[in-house]
Each structure stands twice: as structure tokens, then as C-alpha cells.
Amino acid sequence: MRIIQLGILLSISMTVVRAFGQAPASRIDLHTGWTLQSSSKVKDDGATISRVGYRTDGWYKITVPATVLAAQVASGEFPDPYFGMNLRKIPGMAYAIGALFAHKPIPPDSPYACSWWYRTEFASPAGNHKVALHFDGINNRANIWLNGKKIADAKDIAGAYRTYEFDITPDIAPHQSNVLAVEVFSQTQNDLGINWVDWNPTPPDKDMGLWQAVYLTTSGPVEIRYPTVETHLPNGDKSPAELSVLAELKNLTDQPVTGTFLAELPELGLAVKKSIALDGRETKSITLTPGEFPQLAVKNAQLWWPAQMGIPFLYRLHTSFTVSNTISDSATSRIGIREVTSEMTPKGARLYKVNGKPILIRGGGWAPDMLLRQNSVRLRNEFQYVQDMNLNTIRLEGKLEDDEFFNLADEKGILVMAGWCCCDLWEEWERWNGDQLAVATESLRSQSLRLRSHPSLLMWLNGSDGPPPANVEAAYLQVLQETQWPNPIESSASQTPAELTGTSGVKMTGPYDYVPPSYWYIDQQHGGAYGFNTETGPGPAIPTAGSLAKFIPADHLWPIDDIWNFHAGSGNFKNLNKFNSALTATYGEVTSPQDFQRKSQAMTYDAERAMFEAYSRNKYTSTGVIQWMLNNAWPSLIWHLYDYYLQPAGGYFGTKKANEPVHIQYSYDDRSIVVVNSTYHPVAGLEASARLTDVNLKEEFAQRVPVTIGPDAVKTVFLLPDPPAGSTNVHFLQLRLTDEKGALISTNFYWLSTKKPEFDWPKTTYVSTPITWYEDFTALASLPQVRLNVTSSLHSETSGDVVHVHVKNPSKTLALQVRLAIDSDNNGTEILPVLWQDNYISLMPGEERTLKAKLPDRHLAGSGPVISISGWNIQSETIAIGPTSQRKNSAINQVRFSP
């Protein structure tokens, strides 16, 4: 039995499912009907287990993909491992947690120290076809048996990111059931597997198992794999688009075969075909170019753009191979006509361009579920959140996702940075003394072939925290050349030069813990807003009280204790000490869990907004920033823009505010008021206004100026003067940007301190820069309580419900950080996900706003939902949703602390 040690054409599978509603006839998914058991409880060998009639009484009944631990949790064997410290109670986990576990062998008494058996039965495909068996991801090694015969050995099946294809035609049992048995071994400290770093625990099984899809395909004598279209745009986004059609053809027979390869783009009325000869058992990479086929120089093609730049237009690509007037194999996939390039700016920063136009990369680091469980609805909701925050990029540090992820990125116009992970054997090249280089290069081959067809791919990173040594980098570059990877390649996500390719043009300088807003503007040597920072951020992100109650036991919700810290990170991020010290110094001593909520959300809103605003103001001296991180793999207190339960909070809305398409903002370094246009068309007829007051709302400055701004531009409209001598320590700045009809385009609200932060720059580490003097916002604690006037109405739309909420501040006091939520009833159970137009807003006396909240794929009619109102100095209450909303009981569930 031969192993095709290349990736498999995933775009022929899930891509077609998503695009056209059904899988191609040549694919048969082996998703259901599996059983799972530990080899410690199964004494039979693979030859026996893979026979028809073998009894699996007492085995776990599962679907695939599924890791071993995920299957056990689904069976109810272990209570929710994400609640409290339940994860530590799972056998094999008690002695260690976090990133260090990845460097240690699984304890010999662990249930995951032995192999585990996956078993399923399937019917033989109808017809006289060649049949191939595919594995999209096995972690980490495996013996594979089919109908009593061993078809692959664990010496050859190695590496979590490799894909496998086996020609099982001679071994299939015609007209009866076939039995597939896979004996899976967990990764050791010497295997290239799936690793977790300081941002998440490593589960005790190390995610062992069939973590990606298993399926069959059928074909004639020649099969097609990895068809795609590569684009070159010699005139930028102007015609023509020079297309090259790429594919791999595999002759599954021992005899030479000659046939016709046909590629069609039906929406363009384009078809090209070529006669191809293949020797017996030959695999041939083919490329059809405009030089050979002039019609591939296409005029007036619709280009694929990231969402903020245009429409992510997708075309259908049909390919087929015909032998003796019979179609041997065919495939339908989606492609985008686009070209990604990169270049160095005069200051040595890596600048990316899409279709010839520069783009400021603004994104976040991705985390899949810790048990690698797949959920299509959740995934789509997360992509909606990415779009809602006006981010354009997701970075994958390892954890290379399934087809659905990349198909959604293509559809939504979200760019993807993909590459290997840090802090494990993947970057401990000095320990590579076995088959690691072979496994690494074959893993790259699988992923390059799999991903090259996706227009969402921005780049490939050969390393994360540092570049590979010359021999490894050379091997990686050779694979990427052989697989015709069409996008830029970086040696790593860090600034460390590579031996072969030199300077990367990106940086990984931190910080990863809290720094005040002004840091991003002032710093010119570390993580500040210059260059391309591939991972950085202002540190912890405290979930709302409603989320905390879902994973922190009720008797540990306050004060912060070891259970809280268990859900922080590891190493330098094992607790919230730096964040809490900064919060106390800036906002005053915390007096209650409710007080902690309002202060932590305000501080995170302010910090995330400042980071993204600073990088936006400085484009293209700054060329990119990746918030570390976008989301969490389990309920966590650090590094997210929305929490594990899809709850957006302060950091989410600070990010969304900063990345508005047309945005007005304040600069902490030079007090400039700046308008940023992130669209790719000019905007005229605007008016920018600013109003500065002291803490008592006494006006100290006001100005209005007309604004016209070009595409993808930044414009300073005026400077804010210093507060007058003798003024209060705290000041409020309200900014507004309106169009020629007076409609609000952007609004922004800052609380500013005359006491500027001071940094101990020489003691800067990758974690953060020490702060010797903090801003002082303790005066905010004395703001009087405000009761807002709130009305709401429900509007049902095809895609879901939309709630309109009108909020007015009738008082003579500032309403600071007003938080709105939609609860399913009066007990404080928040409905998620929700896409709020704006939130954590501030209203000056007499100010009013109407906000929209969209609930994807959910209808509220008849469920009795209410609007929950809370905030920094807001009287908490709820109102019913309806055409004429009435105030209801203002009591809120005690475990749902109002910020």
C-alpha cells in the first residue's frame, strides 16, 4: 500500500458544500458511526479489530473529527473541564498545567500514555472506481488497518499537520461492509504536534486523535488534486488579470495514460484545455499560463478584495480530466482573483499590498477550542465579530484550521496569517535528531497545497518567535517553491534576521501586559505604533460578571483567588497582578466585584482603543498590528477581544471604535485631533468638532472645522490646547464627525488626566515597560448616579432580529461608559451573540443616541426579552422591548455584576 505524502484537495470538498449546498459525488464523508476505546482495555490487535463482526460493546460512540478527551467529555465521563479547576482533576493532569506540559512526556499512569483505537464500518462505494482514503489530520502517530490488513505504520504516519491519501482500491470489500481501525498515539516531547503556549493550558491527552476529517473519494484512472488559479496583476487593480491554472494529476494505474485536462471559469466564459501524458503511477504538477493560452489574460475580471477595501468576489473553478471520452475525475472549487505582495518601507517595515494597494493590517491572534471541537454556528459568529470590530486579519500560530474556517475567511474578506507555532519542538531545532525535518517539510507541503487556493491567505510564516536555521529554512523554501505558494513568505513573526532571507520587516516586541494608552504613541523602540507588530496588546481582559459565573464557582466569584489565576496564563502571565496594580493606581482601590467590573472594563476599553488608534494614525510608518489575542480556547482572563462565551465587553468596543471606517480620534503624544479614513474613496463635506471640559463639565475649549480627506488617508484637523492653569486633574473630551447633512459619522469620548504616565524605559521586557507614575482617574469615583431615559423597539428581519434602543441622558451629569445588553428575561441571562452598533458609550447632559443591536439568526418575538442598562455611574435597570417599552423591576441577578 502506497502513501501519497501530500495534502488532499480540501477545496473539492467543503468548499463545494458551502458554495453549492452539496458535496461532490466523488466524496463520501466518514463522519458518523465511529467507536473509540483505550488500548489498555482492548487486547486484540488491528487485524482482529478491523474485521467485520468485531464487537465494540462498552466503547465510546463518537463522530469524527474528535480528540480522545473531547469524546470522553461528550460522553459525560468528565464534568465540564472548563469550569473551575475541573481540568486539573482529569487523570494525567494533576501534576502540571499550561505550556510546560507540552515539553514533558505524558505520565506513564495517564490514560493517554497508551494508544487509543478509532473504529468504523462503511459500505463499498458503488461503481467500478478507484477509491482513496483520506485523513486531514491525525495527532500524532497512527497505525491504520483496513479489513484486517495494515495499510500504514506509525513510523510513517507522523505529524499533526500532514494530510494523507491511500489508494485502497485493491483492499476494498465489494458489495459488503468495510472496517477501518486507526490506532492513534499521543505526541511525545520529540514529536511535531499540536502545542499550546502561555496563553492556554495543554489538555492532558495533548489533543490526540483524529482531529480533522476522514473521508473517501472515487475517481477513474487519473485524479485531480489541488486545482487553483494564481493571479498576477501587472497594472495593479487595472486590467488585465493574468491567470495561471495550477493542478496536480495523479495516475493511479501502472500503465501510461494520456487525457485532456479542462479548466473552466464559467462566470467569465473562460475555458482552456490541454492534452497531458502521464507515466504509470506518475504525479505531475501542471501549470497553464497566459503565454500558452492568451485567453487567460482576462479583462474586466472582478477582483477579490479584503472587506474594508471592496467586495471579496469569488469565482467558480471547474476542472476535469478526460480519458478515452470518459471523465476520470472532476472538481469544483472557489477562487479569488487577487494578488498579495509585500515590500519594505524606507524605515524598514514590511508593508503588504492587495491588488497593488497598501493595507494597514489590523487583526487578532486566533485560538480554536482547547479540545479542538468544531462548531459551524460558533465559527460563523466569530467571523461576524471580526467584521463587526472592523478588523481585517486573523493570525494563526499553528492550529491550522479546517476548510470551513478558510472558506469563511474567503467569503467574508478576512485575511489570514498562517504559520508554525512557537515555544515547542517546532522551534527547538537543536533537538531535531530524528525524523523531525522530514515531518516538518511534509507538513508544510500538505498545508501549502491545501491553502494555496484560498484568496484570504496573506502570508506564510516559517517560524513564530524566531526564524529557522539555514538548513531548515532552505528546506521550507524549497517546499514552498515546489508547491507554487503564491503569497509572501516570512522567515518568522519576529524581527530576528534569518540566515538565508535576512530581515523580516516585522517585530514581536510586546508588550503583553498592561500599558497606559499613551504608551502606543510615545514608544519608538519597542511595541509602539511603528512597523508591523505581529503580536502585542495591553494584557488581561476581564470577562463580564455573567461570563465569570459560567466558569468560576459561586463561592469564588470574589475576591480574586487561585481559581481565577488558574484561568489566567502561565509563566509571566499566571496572575493579574500587573493589571490590578495599574487599575488600583489609576482608578483607586477596588471596593466590590461590581467596582472591579466597571473599572476593568473602562481601563480595557481605553487601552485597546489607544493601541489601534495609534497604529491607524501612524500608517504607513506603522504597517500592521495583531492584538494578542482575538479570542480564547477556553474561559480565560487574559488576551481576548471577546470571551469564550462570545461575550463582547470593554476591549471589544474600544477596538470597534478605533477601527471605524471613517474615524475621529485624539493623540496622546501631541494632543492632535485626527481623522482617519480607512475606506478607499475620498470623503468630503465633513465637519469635525471637539469639546473639552473639566471634571465638573465646565467648558475649556470648543472648535469646529470642515474636513475633506482622501482615500486611505490620515489628516490632522487641529491641535487641542492644554487645559488652563488651575483646572481639575480629570478632563473630558468629546469628538464628533458629521457629514454635510449633519448625520453622525463618528463620535469618540475620552477621559484624560493632567498627570501623565511615566515609564522606566531601560527596564522594558517583552512583557511590558514598568510604569513609575500612573494617570489619576480617582475623581471619576465621585460622579453622581444617573438614571437614563431608555426606549426600545423590535424589528424582525430575514437574517434575524434588530433591536433599536434610544438612550437619553436627562441629567446635568456625565453618563460614563453606558453598557447595554439584551437579556432573555428579567433574571439577567444575556442573549449572545449580539452585534451592537456601539456600546460602552458616554453621554453628556441632554445628549441622546439611537443604537441598533442585531441578533444573528435569532428571533425574539414572544420570548419576553429586556434591555439591561448599567455603567460607570448609571442606575442599573431593565426595560421590556417593544413599541412602547415600560420600565420593569430593576433587580439584576446577583451573580451578574453590573459594571
Side-chain angles (χ1 to χ4, degrees):
M1 186 59 56
R2 294 169 301 99
I3 304 173
I4 302 172
Q5 294 185 343
L6 299 172
I8 50 180
L9 179 57
L10 301 184
S11 58
I12 296 181
S13 54
M14 291 303 293
T15 297
V16 177
V17 173
R18 296 200 57 80
F20 307 110
Q22 62 182 7
S26 63
R27 172 162 170 159
I28 303 167
D29 284 288
L30 303 182
H31 177 59
T32 59
W34 289 83
T35 54
L36 171 73
Q37 189 54 273
S38 167
S39 65
S40 68
K41 298 181 180 180
V42 179
K43 302 308 178 184
D44 298 310
D45 61 13
T48 303
I49 295 171
S50 63
R51 292 292 186 184
V52 173
Y54 183 81
R55 300 290 296 273
T56 58
D57 300 339
W59 288 38
Y60 300 93
K61 292 179 172 57
I62 69 168
T63 58
V64 166
T67 65
V68 171
L69 181 55
Q72 291 177 295
V73 171
S75 75
E77 181 170 350
F78 300 124
D80 180 5
Y82 295 176
F83 184 80
M85 299 180 77
N86 285 349
L87 182 64
R88 191 179 286 275
K89 300 174 185 177
I90 296 175
M93 197 67 185
Y95 81 104
I97 194 80
L100 293 178
F101 187 30
H103 291 76
K104 297 181 179 181
I106 289 179
D109 60 345
S110 166
Y112 313 108
C114 64
S115 60
W116 283 70
W117 284 99
Y118 287 74
R119 183 185 187 276
T120 190
E121 298 188 21
F122 61 91
S124 298
N128 184 21
H129 302 290
K130 297 289 185 179
V131 182
L133 171 64
H134 300 259
F135 293 87
D136 281 6
I138 302 173
N139 191 30
N140 185 268
R141 294 178 182 264
N143 294 313
I144 302 174
W145 296 75
L146 177 66
N147 295 334
K149 178 181 178 180
K150 191 177 186 180
I151 65 172
D153 188 88
K155 295 191 299 293
D156 303 310
I157 305 300
Y161 297 111
R162 292 172 68 185
T163 58
Y164 302 93
E165 178 181 337
F166 303 92
D167 181 359
I168 61 172
T169 308
D171 305 300
I172 209 79
H175 313 301
Q176 66 183 61
S177 291
N178 299 270
V179 181
L180 174 64
V182 185
E183 184 184 16
V184 178
F185 300 84
S186 65
Q187 66 196 55
T188 72
Q189 67 271 32
N190 297 316
D191 287 320
L192 295 171
I194 296 172
N195 62 308
W196 300 90
V197 196
D198 46 16
W199 39 276
N200 207 84
T202 298
D205 70 338
K206 294 192 175 183
D207 286 318
M208 72 181 295
L210 304 180
W211 74 285
Q212 294 285 18
V214 181
Y215 55 95
L216 307 174
T217 56
T218 60
S219 71
V222 175
E223 64 182 13
I224 302 171
R225 295 294 180 257
Y226 327 114
T228 187
V229 170
E230 183 177 358
T231 304
H232 175 53
L233 300 172
N235 301 313
D237 62 337
K238 305 295 190 297
S239 293
E242 297 179 353
L243 309 182
S244 295
V245 179
L246 314 178
E248 297 215 346
L249 303 177
K250 174 66 177 180
N251 182 1
L252 300 176
T253 73
D254 296 323
Q255 304 302 316
V257 174
T258 298
T260 301
F261 176 78
L262 172 66
E264 300 173 279
L265 290 167
E267 290 91 347
L268 290 172
L270 177 64
V272 291
K273 60 182 179 180
K274 184 175 183 178
S275 177
I276 305 290
L278 296 160
D279 291 334
R281 300 294 175 183
E282 182 184 7
T283 296
K284 179 177 289 186
S285 297
I286 63 168
T287 304
L288 279 56
T289 67
E292 186 178 10
F293 300 94
Q295 61 267 46
L296 289 175
V298 179
K299 297 180 179 179
N300 303 318
Q302 294 192 61
L303 301 182
W304 184 96
W305 294 97
Q308 75 178 71
M309 300 180 75
I311 297 173
F313 191 86
L314 294 169
Y315 285 98
R316 291 174 295 167
L317 171 65
H318 297 320
T319 56
S320 63
F321 193 82
T322 301
V323 179
S324 300
N325 297 319
T326 300
I327 294 178
S328 174
D329 198 10
S330 63
T332 300
S333 57
R334 297 180 309 174
I335 59 98
I337 297 176
R338 67 94 178 102
E339 184 176 32
V340 176
T341 58
S342 76
E343 60 191 49
M344 299 288 271
T345 69
K347 294 190 176 182
R350 180 70 61 182
L351 173 66
Y352 285 85
K353 293 184 176 181
V354 179
N355 303 333
K357 292 187 176 182
I359 181 171
L360 175 64
I361 299 301
R362 292 181 284 203
W366 176 262
D369 178 80
M370 183 173 68
L371 304 186
L372 304 184
R373 294 172 293 192
Q374 298 176 6
N375 184 316
S376 296
V377 173
R378 179 184 177 89
L379 183 65
R380 188 165 286 272
N381 287 333
E382 293 196 67
F383 268 87
Q384 287 182 310
Y385 273 176
V386 172
Q387 284 190 301
D388 188 54
M389 286 184 283
N390 302 301
L391 300 176
N392 57 33
T393 303
I394 293 173
R395 180 184 166 200
L396 305 180
E397 188 184 26
K399 320 300 184 299
L400 299 170
E401 287 284 351
D402 64 1
D403 286 350
E404 186 174 16
F405 177 95
F406 294 102
N407 290 334
L408 272 174
D410 295 343
E411 289 177 13
K412 300 293 186 181
I414 303 298
L415 296 166
V416 180
M417 299 168 58
W420 302 130
C421 195
C422 79
C423 308
D424 200 340
L425 192 65
W426 281 104
E427 290 192 348
E428 295 172 354
W429 297 285
E430 71 281 357
R431 291 180 52 213
W432 288 17
N433 56 12
D435 64 356
Q436 290 92 353
L437 181 58
V439 171
T441 53
E442 287 307 310
S443 300
L444 179 58
R445 188 181 306 277
S446 292
Q447 296 304 320
S448 177
L449 288 167
R450 180 172 88 94
L451 299 178
R452 69 181 188 180
S453 65
H454 290 281
S456 54
L457 266 293
L458 176 70
M459 68 172 80
W460 177 263
L461 295 158
N462 280 325
S464 179
D465 289 14
N471 67 312
V472 177
E473 186 180 18
Y476 283 168
L477 294 174
Q478 179 67 27
V479 168
L480 291 166
Q481 180 182 17
E482 291 171 356
T483 55
Q484 296 176 273
W485 177 254
N487 306 310
I489 303 164
E490 293 294 343
S491 59
S492 77
S494 78
Q495 64 275 22
T496 305
E499 294 180 66
L500 295 184
T501 54
T503 303
S504 66
V506 300
K507 65 179 183 178
M508 188 192 289
T509 48
Y512 297 87
D513 214 325
Y514 179 76
V515 289
S518 60
Y519 169 91
W520 306 101
Y521 291 85
I522 296 170
D523 174 66
Q524 298 295 318
Q525 297 182 4
H526 308 289
Y530 68 94
F532 190 145
N533 202 337
T534 60
E535 52 180 73
T536 189
I542 308 302
T544 64
S547 286
L548 288 172
K550 295 176 182 176
F551 68 96
I552 303 292
D555 57 345
H556 289 270
L557 282 169
W558 194 257
I560 295 172
D561 61 12
D562 287 344
I563 293 183
W564 284 61
N565 292 334
F566 187 69
H567 288 266
S570 61
N572 287 300
F573 312 103
K574 62 186 177 182
N575 56 51
L576 304 176
N577 291 353
K578 286 186 174 67
F579 179 86
N580 289 343
S581 295
L583 184 146
T584 299
T586 304
Y587 288 97
E589 291 288 340
V590 174
T591 60
S592 66
Q594 294 89 340
D595 189 45
F596 182 65
Q597 272 290 312
R598 67 173 184 164
K599 288 175 177 174
S600 63
Q601 299 303 340
M603 193 162 81
T604 305
Y605 180 102
D606 212 16
E608 294 286 2
R609 175 178 62 176
M611 181 183 75
F612 282 105
E613 285 185 337
Y615 272 85
S616 293
R617 188 202 68 173
N618 290 354
K619 68 177 179 184
Y620 284 98
T621 298
S622 62
T623 58
V625 58
I626 299 296
Q627 151 68 22
W628 208 248
M629 296 178 71
L630 172 70
N631 60 349
N632 293 137
W634 82 320
S636 178
L637 307 173
I638 66 168
W639 300 349
H640 64 251
L641 295 178
Y642 54 87
D643 70 25
Y644 181 79
Y645 304 103
L646 305 188
Q647 172 70 71
Y652 179 104
F653 290 104
T655 298
K656 178 175 180 173
K657 176 63 63 178
N659 294 326
E660 290 175 324
V662 181
H663 178 65
I664 188 168
Q665 63 185 61
Y666 167 78
S667 305
Y668 282 86
D669 54 348
D670 60 7
R671 296 179 67 80
S672 59
I673 305 302
V674 173
V675 174
V676 178
N677 181 10
S678 296
T679 73
Y680 285 73
H681 54 79
V683 183
L686 302 179
E687 182 181 76
S689 65
R691 183 176 179 234
L692 181 71
T693 75
D694 67 11
V695 75
N696 301 311
L697 303 186
K698 179 182 177 182
E699 187 175 289
E700 296 175 327
F701 172 79
Q703 187 164 343
R704 297 174 179 268
V705 297
V707 176
T708 294
I709 186 169
D712 190 30
V714 177
K715 187 169 188 176
T716 299
V717 293
F718 54 82
L719 298 179
L720 193 71
D722 291 330
S727 181
T728 60
N729 173 51
V730 175
H731 303 263
F732 300 124
L733 174 63
Q734 184 180 45
L735 302 178
R736 290 170 60 87
L737 189 67
T738 55
D739 65 14
E740 56 190 5
K741 297 181 180 179
L744 189 64
I745 301 298
S746 172
T747 182
N748 216 343
F749 188 90
Y750 298 82
W751 47 103
L752 305 172
S753 174
T754 55
K755 295 182 179 179
K756 306 300 181 186
E758 295 180 3
F759 300 89
D760 191 350
W761 296 109
K763 294 183 179 179
T764 296
T765 68
Y766 81 96
V767 175
S768 64
T769 298
I771 306 155
T772 57
W773 186 268
Y774 290 87
E775 300 164 290
D776 181 3
F777 292 122
T778 55
L780 296 177
S782 61
L783 286 177
Q785 286 279 298
V786 173
R787 188 184 191 195
L788 301 174
N789 291 339
V790 181
T791 59
S792 65
S793 57
L794 174 64
H795 304 265
S796 292
E797 299 181 358
T798 302
S799 60
D801 287 329
V802 176
V803 178
H804 294 202
V805 184
H806 184 77
V807 187
K808 182 176 181 178
N809 178 7
S811 74
K812 297 182 179 180
T813 299
L814 170 69
L816 182 63
Q817 285 273 284
V818 179
R819 178 177 185 262
L820 301 171
I822 301 176
D823 296 344
S824 61
D825 50 41
N826 223 30
N827 293 321
T829 303
E830 189 165 350
I831 294 173
L832 296 170
V834 174
L835 303 178
W836 282 95
Q837 182 182 7
D838 199 359
N839 214 328
Y840 287 82
I841 66 173
S842 296
L843 299 173
M844 295 292 276
E847 187 177 0
E848 55 190 294
R849 290 184 64 188
T850 298
L851 303 175
K852 296 180 181 179
K854 182 178 180 181
L855 292 88
D857 304 319
R858 184 189 293 271
H859 295 270
L860 295 177
S863 64
V866 297
I867 299 293
S868 170
I869 307 108
S870 55
W872 181 278
N873 62 324
I874 309 304
Q875 181 174 324
S876 298
E877 56 186 319
T878 61
I879 65 164
I881 297 176
T884 56
S885 302
Q886 300 295 319
R887 294 185 183 276
K888 287 194 171 184
N889 189 329
S890 62
I892 294 180
N893 192 301
Q894 289 303 302
V895 297
R896 184 178 179 279
F897 306 128
S898 300

